[in-house]
Amino acid sequence: DTGVSQDPRHKITKRGQNVTFRCDPISEHNRLYWYRQTLGQGPEFLTYFQNEAQLEKSRLLSDRFSAERPKGSFSTLEIQRTEQGDSAMYLCASSSRDRGSSSYEQYFGPGTRLTVT
Amino acid sequence: QKEVEQDPGPLSVPEGAIVSLNCTYSNSAFQYFMWYRQYSRKGPELLMYTYSSGNKEDGRFTAQVDKSSKYISLFIRDSQPSDSATYLCAMSQNFNKFYFGSGTKLNVKP
């Protein structure tokens, strides 16, 4: 198992363009989370999926943001009409119930760094 | 008021020192408490997970949760230069949504 992977690792785009990021979770992890992290801050929750169902969305996730997880495997996060304030690291994490406990420990990917010029 | 407050540091200590990192929170419904380590330009890495109040030890790391005070701590014994990183606390009510602190930057000097 190679862990959570994210693609691309870096993205530079001009304001107003659309961008799409991909996350491949650890195989058989049924939960997948998206976070946004800006410099000097901790990750901010954006949304989470259990299998293919999107179960919770943050108010941070404006109507320009959309996330999907078709077939409960990889996930995509799309930002439409990007703004300079969207510049951040976008992190994906996956989890599965830990055997013998009630916990869902998260494992993070390396992130996609977005720069909007 | 933020859900989770964490002193951003930076915290600079000599090698071998005991390090204490702390977070406070406002939501009494939080039951699950985690500490992550994050190196520059990398994703966070889970260090410790604790359920409800109490202590948990793993090698040089000890996590403590005091729900009555809404206060959690991470202690690092015999700190090493390789421990230099940003440490993030995180907490959740039900594993559906996680709240992170802003992170404390730690520098362990050789």
Side-chain angles (χ1 to χ4, degrees):
Chain A
D1 195 341
T2 56
V4 179
S5 61
Q6 292 187 245
D7 184 67
R9 294 292 307 277
H10 301 94
K11 179 71 177 179
I12 300 173
T13 190
K14 292 184 178 178
R15 189 175 55 188
Q17 297 295 305
N18 298 344
V19 294
T20 300
F21 309 140
R22 176 179 170 124
C23 171
D24 286 89
I26 293 171
S27 58
E28 299 180 358
H29 274 193
N30 60 349
R31 290 193 171 196
L32 187 147
Y33 304 80
W34 283 100
Y35 292 87
R36 181 173 68 186
Q37 186 176 26
T38 54
L39 197 63
Q41 298 299 313
E44 291 178 290
F45 173 86
L46 292 177
T47 189
Y48 111 88
F49 292 84
Q50 178 148 324
N51 300 312
E52 66 276 7
Q54 187 174 19
L55 296 185
E56 187 143 0
K57 290 171 61 172
S58 166
R59 285 170 294 175
L60 291 173
L61 213 66
S62 75
D63 56 5
R64 296 186 298 107
F65 288 70
S66 62
E68 294 183 341
R69 193 185 182 196
K71 303 178 183 178
S73 56
F74 71 92
S75 176
T76 58
L77 177 69
E78 181 183 16
I79 309 174
Q80 295 182 328
R81 305 181 302 283
T82 52
E83 302 172 357
Q84 287 188 319
D86 296 331
S87 295
M89 174 81 89
Y90 289 83
L91 291 163
C92 174
S94 70
S95 68
S96 181
R97 185 182 292 275
D98 191 19
R99 287 184 180 179
S101 80
S102 62
S103 75
Y104 284 91
E105 297 180 11
Q106 292 184 97
Y107 295 86
F108 281 84
T112 293
R113 184 170 296 280
L114 173 67
T115 302
V116 182
T117 63
Chain B
Q1 184 188 3
K2 283 187 175 182
E3 298 267 4
V4 181
E5 298 281 356
Q6 185 175 8
D7 187 336
L11 183 61
S12 188
V13 301
E15 184 176 353
I18 296 174
V19 175
S20 172
L21 304 165
N22 311 293
C23 289
T24 59
Y25 62 95
S26 56
N27 188 345
S28 57
F30 289 147
Q31 298 188 80
Y32 302 97
F33 304 91
M34 289 134 284
W35 286 95
Y36 288 83
R37 177 172 62 196
Q38 186 173 28
Y39 294 110
S40 181
R41 299 186 177 271
K42 303 279 189 185
E45 170 196 8
L46 180 66
L47 284 175
M48 302 280 288
Y49 149 74
T50 310
Y51 169 67
S52 194
S53 284
N55 293 0
K56 187 173 184 179
E57 189 173 320
D58 185 1
R60 296 185 295 113
F61 299 89
T62 300
Q64 289 185 350
V65 175
D66 181 350
K67 290 191 72 178
S68 63
S69 302
K70 298 190 182 70
Y71 187 88
I72 70 171
S73 301
L74 178 71
F75 298 95
I76 307 174
R77 290 182 298 281
D78 187 24
S79 55
Q80 303 294 309
S82 58
D83 294 329
S84 298
T86 296
Y87 289 80
L88 297 155
C89 63
M91 42 201 82
S92 178
Q93 180 178 348
N94 51 16
F95 283 105
N96 290 348
K97 186 173 179 179
F98 290 78
Y99 297 85
F100 281 78
S102 58
T104 299
K105 190 166 185 180
L106 171 67
N107 181 33
V108 180
K109 298 174 291 185

